[in-house]
Amino acid sequence: MAVKPVRRMGDPVLLARAQPVGDVPSAALEALVQDMRDTMAALDGAGLAAPQIGVPLRVVIFGVQANPRYPHVAEVPMTVLINPVVEPLSSEEEEDWEGCLSVPGLRGLVPRYHRIRYRGVDATGQPIDREAEGFHARVVQHECDHLDGILYPMRIRDLRHFGYETILFPQGVGGPD
Ligand code: NI
């Protein structure tokens, strides 16, 4: 149980395809998930993928609590998702601003599917099968991209919409990482 250093863009582990988790549950998986929770909480992130702390396994966590200071940010249930499968439920896409703990200080306008279905198991092996839309769907797509070596800047269509958070949003943050 520890806050781990977050790997930053340029580190090869962020570009690799992560491997499926074989045993669920396991003590090793439990320890990994706890490290991820501790690290995400310390950095006030909305999500984290195992490769971001240097572990090339298909594990993501995410969650956003309702916060009256950010009424435009929707609540996302705290979730541990292992061996995820994500599929779009329609071809409809929308663009919105994203950040990433591995790309600190920057924001970009990223297209994502509006509605998705995602499946996997939690750390106890219980199946997860949900439909999500909007910000919830965006967070899941962002985190699961990490498992395939994709960082959000790779998905920006117009790099004029990529820059420093303090310059883009001098009045305050556009949304959580
Ligand atoms: Ni990220």
Coordinates of all heavy atoms in Angstrom, one line a residue, residues 5-71:
P5 N 5.2 6.4 -7.9 CA 5.4 7.4 -8.9 C 4.6 7.2 -10.2 O 4.5 6.0 -10.6 CB 6.9 7.3 -9.2 CG 7.5 6.3 -8.2 CD 6.3 5.6 -7.6
V6 N 4.1 8.2 -10.8 CA 3.3 8.0 -12.0 C 4.2 8.2 -13.2 O 4.9 9.2 -13.3 CB 2.1 9.0 -12.1 CG1 1.4 8.9 -13.4 CG2 1.1 8.7 -10.9
R7 N 4.2 7.2 -14.1 CA 5.1 7.3 -15.3 C 4.5 8.4 -16.2 O 3.3 8.5 -16.3 CB 5.1 5.9 -16.0 CG 5.5 4.8 -15.1 CD 6.9 4.9 -14.6 NE 7.3 3.8 -13.8 CZ 8.0 2.7 -14.3 NH1 8.3 2.7 -15.6 NH2 8.2 1.7 -13.5
R8 N 5.4 9.1 -16.8 CA 5.0 10.2 -17.7 C 5.3 9.9 -19.2 O 6.1 9.0 -19.5 CB 5.7 11.5 -17.3 CG 5.2 12.0 -15.9 CD 5.7 13.3 -15.5 NE 7.2 13.2 -15.3 CZ 8.0 14.3 -15.1 NH1 7.5 15.5 -15.2 NH2 9.2 14.1 -14.9
M9 N 4.5 10.6 -20.0 CA 4.6 10.4 -21.4 C 6.1 10.4 -21.9 O 6.9 11.3 -21.6 CB 3.9 11.5 -22.1 CG 3.8 11.3 -23.7 SD 2.5 12.4 -24.4 CE 3.2 14.1 -24.1
G10 N 6.4 9.4 -22.7 CA 7.8 9.2 -23.1 C 8.4 7.9 -22.5 O 9.3 7.3 -23.1
D11 N 7.7 7.4 -21.4 CA 8.1 6.1 -20.8 C 7.6 5.0 -21.6 O 6.4 5.0 -21.9 CB 7.6 6.1 -19.4 CG 8.1 4.9 -18.6 OD1 8.2 3.8 -19.1 OD2 8.4 5.1 -17.4
P12 N 8.4 4.0 -22.0 CA 7.9 3.0 -22.9 C 6.8 2.1 -22.3 O 6.0 1.6 -23.1 CB 9.2 2.1 -23.1 CG 10.3 2.9 -22.8 CD 9.9 4.0 -21.8
V13 N 6.7 2.0 -21.0 CA 5.6 1.2 -20.4 C 4.2 1.8 -20.8 O 3.3 1.0 -20.9 CB 5.8 1.1 -18.9 CG1 5.4 2.4 -18.2 CG2 5.0 -0.1 -18.3
L14 N 4.2 3.1 -21.1 CA 2.9 3.7 -21.4 C 2.5 3.4 -22.9 O 1.4 3.7 -23.3 CB 3.0 5.2 -21.2 CG 3.1 5.7 -19.7 CD1 3.3 7.2 -19.7 CD2 1.9 5.2 -18.9
L15 N 3.5 2.9 -23.7 CA 3.2 2.7 -25.1 C 3.0 1.2 -25.4 O 2.7 0.8 -26.5 CB 4.4 3.2 -25.9 CG 4.6 4.7 -25.8 CD1 5.9 5.0 -26.7 CD2 3.4 5.5 -26.3
A16 N 3.2 0.3 -24.3 CA 3.1 -1.1 -24.5 C 1.6 -1.6 -24.4 O 0.8 -0.9 -23.7 CB 4.0 -1.8 -23.5
R17 N 1.3 -2.7 -25.0 CA 0.0 -3.4 -24.7 C 0.1 -4.1 -23.4 O 1.0 -5.0 -23.3 CB -0.3 -4.3 -25.9 CG -1.7 -4.9 -25.8 CD -2.0 -5.7 -27.0 NE -3.2 -6.6 -26.7 CZ -4.4 -6.1 -26.7 NH1 -4.7 -4.9 -27.1 NH2 -5.4 -6.9 -26.4
A18 N -0.8 -3.9 -22.5 CA -0.7 -4.5 -21.2 C -1.3 -5.9 -21.3 O -2.1 -6.2 -22.2 CB -1.5 -3.7 -20.2
Q19 N -0.9 -6.8 -20.4 CA -1.2 -8.2 -20.4 C -2.5 -8.5 -19.6 O -2.7 -7.9 -18.5 CB -0.1 -9.1 -19.9 CG 1.2 -9.0 -20.7 CD 0.9 -9.4 -22.2 OE1 0.4 -10.5 -22.4 NE2 1.2 -8.6 -23.1
P20 N -3.3 -9.5 -20.0 CA -4.5 -9.8 -19.2 C -4.0 -10.3 -17.8 O -3.0 -11.0 -17.7 CB -5.1 -10.9 -20.0 CG -4.6 -10.8 -21.4 CD -3.3 -10.2 -21.3
V21 N -4.9 -10.1 -16.8 CA -4.7 -10.6 -15.5 C -5.2 -12.1 -15.5 O -6.3 -12.3 -15.9 CB -5.4 -9.8 -14.4 CG1 -5.3 -10.4 -13.1 CG2 -5.0 -8.4 -14.5
G22 N -4.4 -13.0 -15.0 CA -4.8 -14.4 -15.0 C -5.6 -14.8 -13.8 O -6.8 -15.2 -13.9
D23 N -5.1 -14.6 -12.6 CA -5.8 -15.0 -11.4 C -6.6 -13.8 -10.8 O -6.0 -12.8 -10.4 CB -4.8 -15.5 -10.4 CG -4.2 -16.8 -10.7 OD1 -4.9 -17.5 -11.5 OD2 -3.2 -17.2 -10.2
V24 N -7.9 -14.0 -10.7 CA -8.7 -13.0 -9.9 C -9.6 -13.8 -9.0 O -10.4 -14.6 -9.5 CB -9.5 -12.2 -10.9 CG1 -10.3 -11.1 -10.2 CG2 -8.7 -11.6 -12.0
P25 N -9.6 -13.6 -7.7 CA -8.8 -12.6 -7.0 C -7.4 -13.2 -6.7 O -7.2 -14.4 -6.9 CB -9.5 -12.4 -5.7 CG -10.2 -13.7 -5.4 CD -10.5 -14.3 -6.8
S26 N -6.5 -12.3 -6.3 CA -5.2 -12.8 -5.8 C -4.6 -11.7 -4.9 O -5.0 -10.5 -4.9 CB -4.2 -13.1 -6.9 OG -3.7 -11.9 -7.4
A27 N -3.7 -12.1 -4.0 CA -3.1 -11.2 -3.1 C -2.3 -10.1 -3.9 O -2.3 -8.9 -3.5 CB -2.2 -11.9 -2.1
A28 N -1.6 -10.5 -4.9 CA -0.8 -9.6 -5.7 C -1.7 -8.6 -6.4 O -1.4 -7.4 -6.4 CB 0.0 -10.3 -6.8
L29 N -2.9 -9.0 -6.9 CA -3.8 -8.1 -7.5 C -4.4 -7.1 -6.5 O -4.5 -5.9 -6.8 CB -5.0 -8.9 -8.2 CG -6.1 -8.1 -8.8 CD1 -5.5 -7.2 -10.0 CD2 -7.2 -9.0 -9.3
E30 N -4.7 -7.6 -5.3 CA -5.2 -6.8 -4.3 C -4.2 -5.7 -3.9 O -4.6 -4.5 -3.7 CB -5.5 -7.7 -3.0 CG -6.5 -7.1 -2.1 CD -7.9 -6.8 -2.7 OE1 -8.5 -7.7 -3.3 OE2 -8.3 -5.6 -2.6
A31 N -3.0 -6.1 -3.8 CA -1.9 -5.1 -3.5 C -1.8 -4.0 -4.6 O -1.6 -2.8 -4.3 CB -0.6 -5.8 -3.3
L32 N -1.8 -4.5 -5.9 CA -1.7 -3.6 -7.0 C -2.9 -2.6 -6.9 O -2.7 -1.4 -7.1 CB -1.8 -4.4 -8.3 CG -2.0 -3.5 -9.6 CD1 -0.8 -2.5 -9.8 CD2 -2.1 -4.4 -10.8
V33 N -4.1 -3.1 -6.7 CA -5.3 -2.2 -6.7 C -5.2 -1.2 -5.6 O -5.5 0.0 -5.8 CB -6.6 -3.0 -6.6 CG1 -7.8 -2.1 -6.3 CG2 -6.8 -3.8 -7.9
Q34 N -4.7 -1.6 -4.4 CA -4.5 -0.7 -3.3 C -3.5 0.4 -3.6 O -3.7 1.6 -3.4 CB -4.1 -1.4 -2.0 CG -4.3 -0.5 -0.8 CD -5.7 0.0 -0.6 OE1 -6.7 -0.7 -0.6 NE2 -5.8 1.3 -0.5
D35 N -2.4 0.0 -4.3 CA -1.4 1.0 -4.7 C -2.0 2.0 -5.7 O -1.8 3.2 -5.6 CB -0.2 0.4 -5.4 CG 0.7 -0.3 -4.4 OD1 0.6 -0.1 -3.2 OD2 1.6 -1.1 -4.9
M36 N -2.9 1.5 -6.6 CA -3.5 2.4 -7.6 C -4.5 3.3 -6.9 O -4.5 4.5 -7.2 CB -4.2 1.5 -8.7 CG -3.2 0.8 -9.6 SD -4.0 -0.4 -10.7 CE -4.9 0.8 -11.8
R37 N -5.3 2.8 -6.0 CA -6.2 3.7 -5.2 C -5.4 4.8 -4.5 O -5.8 5.9 -4.5 CB -7.0 2.9 -4.2 CG -8.0 1.9 -4.7 CD -8.7 1.3 -3.5 NE -9.7 0.3 -3.9 CZ -10.9 0.5 -4.3 NH1 -11.4 1.7 -4.4 NH2 -11.7 -0.6 -4.6
D38 N -4.4 4.4 -3.8 CA -3.6 5.4 -3.0 C -3.0 6.4 -3.9 O -3.0 7.6 -3.6 CB -2.5 4.6 -2.3 CG -3.0 3.7 -1.2 OD1 -4.2 3.8 -0.8 OD2 -2.2 2.9 -0.7
T39 N -2.5 6.0 -5.1 CA -1.8 6.9 -6.0 C -2.9 7.9 -6.6 O -2.7 9.1 -6.7 CB -1.1 6.1 -7.1 OG1 -0.2 5.3 -6.4 CG2 -0.4 7.1 -8.0
M40 N -4.0 7.3 -7.0 CA -5.0 8.2 -7.6 C -5.6 9.2 -6.6 O -5.8 10.4 -6.9 CB -6.2 7.3 -8.2 CG -7.2 8.1 -9.0 SD -8.5 7.0 -9.7 CE -9.9 7.3 -8.6
A41 N -5.8 8.7 -5.4 CA -6.3 9.6 -4.4 C -5.3 10.7 -4.0 O -5.7 11.9 -3.9 CB -6.6 8.9 -3.1
A42 N -4.0 10.4 -4.0 CA -3.0 11.4 -3.6 C -2.9 12.5 -4.7 O -2.6 13.6 -4.4 CB -1.7 10.7 -3.5
L43 N -3.2 12.1 -5.9 CA -3.1 13.1 -7.0 C -4.4 13.6 -7.5 O -4.5 14.4 -8.4 CB -2.4 12.4 -8.2 CG -1.0 11.9 -7.9 CD1 -0.4 11.1 -9.0 CD2 -0.1 13.1 -7.6
D44 N -5.5 13.2 -6.8 CA -6.8 13.7 -7.0 C -7.2 13.4 -8.5 O -7.8 14.3 -9.2 CB -6.9 15.3 -6.8 CG -8.3 15.7 -6.4 OD1 -9.1 14.9 -6.1 OD2 -8.5 16.9 -6.5
G45 N -6.9 12.2 -8.9 CA -7.3 11.8 -10.3 C -8.7 11.3 -10.4 O -9.3 10.9 -9.4
A46 N -9.2 11.2 -11.6 CA -10.5 10.6 -11.9 C -10.3 9.1 -12.3 O -11.3 8.4 -12.3 CB -11.2 11.3 -13.0
G47 N -9.1 8.7 -12.6 CA -8.9 7.4 -13.0 C -7.4 7.1 -13.1 O -6.6 8.0 -13.1
L48 N -7.0 5.8 -13.2 CA -5.6 5.4 -13.3 C -5.6 4.0 -13.8 O -6.4 3.2 -13.5 CB -5.0 5.4 -11.9 CG -3.5 5.3 -11.8 CD1 -2.8 6.6 -12.3 CD2 -3.0 5.0 -10.4
A49 N -4.6 3.8 -14.7 CA -4.4 2.5 -15.3 C -3.1 1.9 -14.8 O -2.1 2.7 -14.5 CB -4.4 2.6 -16.8
A50 N -3.0 0.6 -14.6 CA -1.8 0.0 -14.0 C -0.5 0.4 -14.7 O 0.5 0.6 -14.0 CB -2.0 -1.5 -13.9
P51 N -0.5 0.4 -16.0 CA 0.8 0.8 -16.7 C 1.3 2.2 -16.2 O 2.5 2.5 -16.2 CB 0.4 0.9 -18.2 CG -0.7 -0.1 -18.3 CD -1.5 0.1 -17.0
Q52 N 0.4 3.1 -15.7 CA 0.8 4.4 -15.3 C 1.7 4.3 -14.0 O 2.4 5.3 -13.7 CB -0.4 5.3 -15.0 CG -1.1 5.7 -16.3 CD -2.2 6.6 -16.0 OE1 -3.3 6.2 -15.7 NE2 -2.0 7.9 -16.1
I53 N 1.6 3.2 -13.2 CA 2.5 3.0 -12.1 C 3.5 1.9 -12.5 O 4.1 1.3 -11.6 CB 1.8 2.8 -10.8 CG1 0.9 1.5 -10.8 CG2 1.0 4.0 -10.4 CD1 0.5 1.1 -9.4
G54 N 3.7 1.6 -13.8 CA 4.7 0.7 -14.2 C 4.4 -0.7 -14.2 O 5.3 -1.6 -14.4
V55 N 3.1 -1.1 -14.1 CA 2.7 -2.5 -14.0 C 1.9 -2.8 -15.3 O 0.8 -2.3 -15.5 CB 1.8 -2.8 -12.8 CG1 1.3 -4.2 -12.8 CG2 2.6 -2.4 -11.5
P56 N 2.5 -3.6 -16.2 CA 1.8 -3.8 -17.5 C 0.7 -4.9 -17.5 O 0.8 -5.9 -18.2 CB 3.0 -4.3 -18.4 CG 3.9 -5.0 -17.4 CD 3.8 -4.3 -16.1
L57 N -0.3 -4.6 -16.7 CA -1.5 -5.5 -16.6 C -2.7 -4.7 -16.9 O -2.8 -3.5 -16.7 CB -1.6 -6.1 -15.2 CG -0.5 -7.1 -14.8 CD1 -0.6 -7.5 -13.3 CD2 -0.6 -8.4 -15.7
R58 N -3.8 -5.5 -17.3 CA -5.0 -4.9 -17.8 C -5.9 -4.6 -16.6 O -6.9 -5.3 -16.3 CB -5.7 -5.7 -18.9 CG -4.8 -6.0 -20.1 CD -5.4 -6.7 -21.2 NE -6.2 -5.7 -22.0 CZ -5.8 -4.9 -22.9 NH1 -4.5 -4.8 -23.1 NH2 -6.6 -4.1 -23.6
V59 N -5.6 -3.6 -15.8 CA -6.3 -3.2 -14.6 C -6.5 -1.7 -14.7 O -5.5 -0.9 -14.9 CB -5.5 -3.5 -13.3 CG1 -6.3 -3.0 -12.1 CG2 -5.3 -5.0 -13.3
V60 N -7.7 -1.2 -14.5 CA -7.9 0.3 -14.4 C -8.8 0.5 -13.2 O -9.6 -0.4 -12.8 CB -8.6 0.9 -15.7 CG1 -7.7 0.7 -16.9 CG2 -10.0 0.3 -15.9
I61 N -8.7 1.7 -12.6 CA -9.6 2.1 -11.6 C -10.1 3.5 -12.0 O -9.4 4.3 -12.7 CB -9.0 2.2 -10.2 CG1 -7.9 3.2 -10.1 CG2 -8.5 0.8 -9.8 CD1 -7.4 3.4 -8.7
F62 N -11.3 3.9 -11.6 CA -11.8 5.2 -11.9 C -13.0 5.5 -11.0 O -13.6 4.6 -10.4 CB -12.3 5.3 -13.4 CG -13.2 4.3 -13.9 CD1 -14.6 4.4 -13.6 CD2 -12.8 3.2 -14.5 CE1 -15.5 3.4 -14.1 CE2 -13.6 2.2 -15.0 CZ -15.0 2.3 -14.7
G63 N -13.3 6.8 -10.9 CA -14.4 7.2 -10.0 C -14.3 8.6 -9.8 O -13.2 9.2 -9.6
V64 N -15.5 9.3 -9.8 CA -15.6 10.7 -9.5 C -16.8 10.9 -8.5 O -17.9 10.5 -8.9 CB -15.8 11.6 -10.7 CG1 -15.9 13.0 -10.4 CG2 -14.6 11.3 -11.7
Q65 N -16.5 11.5 -7.4 CA -17.6 11.8 -6.5 C -18.3 13.1 -6.8 O -17.6 14.0 -7.3 CB -17.1 11.8 -5.0 CG -16.6 10.5 -4.5 CD -16.2 10.5 -3.1 OE1 -15.7 11.5 -2.6 NE2 -16.6 9.5 -2.4
A66 N -19.6 13.2 -6.6 CA -20.3 14.4 -6.8 C -19.6 15.5 -6.0 O -19.3 15.3 -4.8 CB -21.7 14.3 -6.4
N67 N -19.4 16.6 -6.6 CA -18.7 17.7 -5.9 C -19.4 19.0 -6.2 O -19.4 19.5 -7.4 CB -17.2 17.8 -6.4 CG -16.4 18.8 -5.6 OD1 -17.0 19.8 -5.1 ND2 -15.1 18.6 -5.5
P68 N -20.0 19.7 -5.2 CA -20.8 20.9 -5.5 C -19.9 22.0 -6.1 O -20.5 22.9 -6.7 CB -21.3 21.3 -4.1 CG -20.6 20.4 -3.1 CD -20.1 19.2 -3.8
R69 N -18.6 21.9 -5.9 CA -17.7 22.9 -6.5 C -17.6 22.8 -8.0 O -17.2 23.7 -8.7 CB -16.4 22.9 -5.9 CG -16.3 23.5 -4.5 CD -15.1 23.1 -3.7 NE -13.9 23.4 -4.5 CZ -12.8 22.7 -4.6 NH1 -12.7 21.5 -3.9 NH2 -11.7 23.1 -5.2
Y70 N -17.9 21.5 -8.5 CA -17.8 21.3 -9.9 C -19.1 20.6 -10.4 O -19.1 19.4 -10.7 CB -16.6 20.3 -10.2 CG -15.3 20.9 -9.7 CD1 -14.7 20.3 -8.6 CD2 -14.7 21.9 -10.3 CE1 -13.5 20.8 -8.2 CE2 -13.5 22.4 -9.9 CZ -12.9 21.8 -8.8 OH -11.7 22.3 -8.3
P71 N -20.2 21.4 -10.4 CA -21.5 20.8 -10.7 C -21.6 20.3 -12.2 O -22.4 19.5 -12.4 CB -22.5 22.0 -10.5 CG -21.6 23.2 -10.6 CD -20.2 22.8 -10.1

